[in-house]
Amino acid sequence: MITIGLTGGIGSGKSTVASMFKDLGVPVYDSDQRAKHLMNSSKAIHDQLIELLGEEAFLDGKLNRAFIASKVFNDKNLLAKLNDIVHPVVREDFVAWAKNQNARYVIQETALLFENKSQALYDEVILVTAPKEVRIGRVLARDNTTRAQVEARMDNQLEDKIKLELANFVIENIDLEITKEKVLQIHASILTEH
């Protein structure tokens, strides 16, 4: 099974690009959604999060995302510890999911692919980019957040200029029609090369 990593900074439009690949019949694993599910359902994650962040990490048995975000986004060390708890479980879940797919290739949509130095786990990596102000505008329109909070999250991600060196394919996601064309080109390229 060919595995493709799909990544990009917050507000770049990873999910939009992932939807375009889904429309082509490519199975896409959404790491963020699965991580949220696993953080609520995995006893191992639950216990480790309470050990790391305290009982407030959960409210009425559900993940207290606002509390966790307030703790980790300005503390790189705590964020790294959180990622060390969650990412191995998500990776295991992805591998099991991929084995059950019937397609030429699968995509794992994951925000911190390069930050976690996990690019070697994929046959190819697609990077989605957009100018910083466009990304900030998208997140402010989408999430109930502040500019300062968006910029704090961006500060925990590598800059695009570093990621550009590491990616196999790059999609600058500004104009949806151009993005669609690029997705079709990459899809054809993956099917031809593998």
Side-chain angles (χ1 to χ4, degrees):
M1 172 68 68
I2 300 157
T3 60
I4 308 295
L6 174 65
T7 194
I10 183 172
S12 61
K14 283 183 307 300
S15 298
T16 299
V17 169
S19 292
M20 292 176 182
F21 277 101
K22 282 183 196 167
D23 290 344
L24 296 172
V26 179
V28 176
Y29 179 98
D30 183 333
S31 296
D32 276 354
Q33 289 292 26
R34 288 300 295 166
K36 286 172 194 160
H37 170 76
L38 292 165
M39 287 169 84
N40 275 307
S41 63
S42 163
K43 173 121 174 69
I45 290 177
H46 178 275
D47 294 349
Q48 290 177 75
L49 285 182
I50 287 176
E51 191 177 311
L52 180 67
L53 301 167
E55 296 288 336
E56 285 180 84
F58 290 85
L59 260 182
D60 302 323
K62 291 276 179 222
L63 194 67
N64 186 348
R65 293 181 57 217
F67 170 78
I68 293 171
S70 74
K71 288 296 221 186
V72 302
F73 278 121
N74 294 314
D75 185 336
K76 285 187 171 23
N77 185 37
L78 207 52
L79 180 61
K81 288 178 179 174
L82 173 71
N83 288 337
D84 288 345
I85 292 169
V86 177
H87 289 162
V89 179
V90 172
R91 179 69 194 167
E92 221 174 84
D93 188 62
F94 166 72
V95 169
W97 171 87
K99 286 179 182 167
N100 290 315
Q101 303 308 308
N102 183 18
R104 293 273 303 280
Y105 71 96
V106 296
I107 290 177
Q108 181 175 13
E109 179 188 347
T110 179
L112 301 175
L113 188 149
F114 293 122
E115 290 81 355
N116 293 329
K117 296 177 177 44
S118 60
Q119 59 268 32
L121 299 172
Y122 304 95
D123 296 292
E124 310 269 6
V125 175
I126 302 166
L127 171 64
V128 183
T129 67
K132 184 176 181 178
E133 286 305 315
V134 171
R135 291 169 53 202
I136 290 170
R138 287 174 179 165
V139 179
L140 290 175
R142 175 189 81 193
D143 297 351
N144 182 17
T145 191
T146 66
R147 184 181 181 93
Q149 289 171 319
V150 177
E151 288 179 343
R153 289 171 72 184
M154 285 180 160
D155 289 343
N156 286 320
Q157 299 181 336
L158 285 176
E159 292 180 42
D160 280 348
K161 66 182 178 190
I162 298 168
K163 296 177 187 178
L164 289 167
E165 304 280 319
L166 302 169
N168 302 95
F169 302 102
V170 178
I171 298 173
E172 188 175 38
N173 182 31
I174 300 169
D175 177 292
L176 279 180
E177 287 309 309
I178 295 170
T179 298
K180 271 185 200 162
E181 285 172 29
K182 190 72 179 167
V183 165
L184 288 170
Q185 290 168 9
I186 292 170
H187 179 64
S189 179
I190 292 167
L191 293 176
T192 305
E193 287 176 21
H194 294 279

